[in-house]
Amino acid sequence: MRNAFEAIAPHESISCVITDGMTPDRVCIQIHNGGHPIPLELLPHLATPFCSTKPSGTGLGLAISKGIVIAHNGELEITSSSSGTTVSVHLPMLSATAETEMLKYAPDSTMPAAE
């Protein structure tokens, strides 16, 4: 989201849409801005560590984000054209069984915080 905001003019906006994914057990989060397109030769390298088009950028943000998405069995896709740039994150949905298992290890929100 931050990259999307940094790439647009002050009067422009970005959109964030959550939809069904490529298959019924996946979800897709898409962030789109109408800023200038990213050069095609740069697109394949954007999630590579230390690749940045910003004067003070480290080039680690998208690389770290991609690593987190992959660690959750997801995919990160970046497309860009004259209508703007879209970053799509495809992630598996949490099954009811997995959710129940996860909640076993979640902190109990009804317990008072330790002092």
Side-chain angles (χ1 to χ4, degrees):
M1 291 276 252
R2 184 178 191 172
N3 287 351
F5 277 114
E6 291 175 351
I8 60 173
H11 64 279
E12 295 177 337
S13 62
I14 66 167
S15 66
C16 181
V17 178
I18 302 172
T19 61
D20 293 340
M22 299 176 285
T23 60
D25 61 339
R26 296 180 77 76
V27 65
C28 179
I29 304 163
Q30 292 185 313
I31 300 165
H32 175 83
N33 73 28
H36 294 290
I38 297 169
L40 290 177
E41 63 274 4
L42 187 57
L43 276 175
H45 306 288
L46 287 178
T48 303
F50 309 112
C51 175
S52 180
T53 60
K54 300 176 192 173
S56 61
T58 63
L60 293 175
L62 281 173
I64 291 169
S65 297
K66 183 177 181 179
I68 292 169
V69 169
I70 290 171
H72 288 86
N73 297 317
E75 299 171 39
L76 183 124
E77 174 187 18
I78 304 170
T79 58
S80 193
S81 68
S82 59
S83 64
T85 300
T86 302
V87 174
S88 302
V89 177
H90 304 274
L91 293 167
M93 286 194 213
L94 189 62
S95 69
T97 305
E99 184 176 5
T100 302
E101 236 357 80
M102 185 178 76
L103 289 174
K104 286 182 186 178
Y105 303 101
D108 185 354
S109 60
T110 61
M111 294 182 64
E115 294 183 21

